[in-house]
Amino acid sequence: LCVGASAVEELEAWQRARAAERLATGRDPRPRHVTRMWPKREAELVDGGSLYWVFKGQVLARQRIEALERVEGEDGVSRCAIVLNPKIVRTEAAPRRPFQGWRYLAPDAAPADLGEGGAPGGELPAELRRVLADLGVR
């Protein structure tokens, strides 16, 4: 779930700001998503997997997973940093309820990328695409 951002544009802006901070301190600027659990299917994730972002109950974007790194939190607990490709790829809106734990989408279950030119309806406002997807209209 994309907590704290209600739209893809907000996620993009947040990641750009974090990348600039990391670059200014000499660190790898690629975005990271830190989670408590280490994935059981690590090899599959780093071999072409993506993290799909859910906004307001809809998958709207994804980012390619480039690596997994162990990081230690300020509390001393070891966590998993999912290192992402900086490019955020918009996808067709696909309804998803909140969930706990890891989820793995089979390629045929993952929402399709919109592409550079946009898919049919790609020029529609994001909120309208979300409502249409809720209704089952693609």
Side-chain angles (χ1 to χ4, degrees), residues 19-20 25 33 44 78 82 87 102 123 127 135:
T25 58
H33 179 73
E44 291 175 64
S78 181
I82 303 170
K87 181 177 181 180
W102 292 95
E123 66 282 352
E127 187 60 32
L135 296 170

Side-chain angles (χ1 to χ4, degrees), residues 79-133:
R79 293 182 168 80
C80 176
I82 303 170
V83 181
L84 302 168
N85 183 291
K87 181 177 181 180
I88 296 175
V89 178
R90 292 171 187 259
T91 66
E92 290 181 350
R96 288 284 186 265
R97 293 197 313 233
F99 52 82
Q100 291 288 327
W102 292 95
R103 297 285 192 210
Y104 297 92
L105 291 174
D108 60 339
D113 293 349
L114 287 180
E116 296 299 320
E123 66 282 352
L124 296 175
E127 187 60 32
L128 180 55
R129 284 197 314 270
R130 246 186 242 115
V131 170
L132 291 171

Side-chain angles (χ1 to χ4, degrees), residues 15-16 18-20 22-24 26-32 84 86:
Q15 285 189 0
R16 275 193 307 274
R18 295 287 300 161
R22 292 180 66 81
L23 198 57
R27 295 180 291 161
D28 181 353
R30 292 179 296 174
R32 285 156 172 69
L84 302 168

Side-chain angles (χ1 to χ4, degrees), residues 7-22:
V8 178
E9 295 81 9
E10 290 178 26
L11 174 65
E12 291 169 333
W14 186 85
Q15 285 189 0
R16 275 193 307 274
R18 295 287 300 161
E21 290 171 10
R22 292 180 66 81

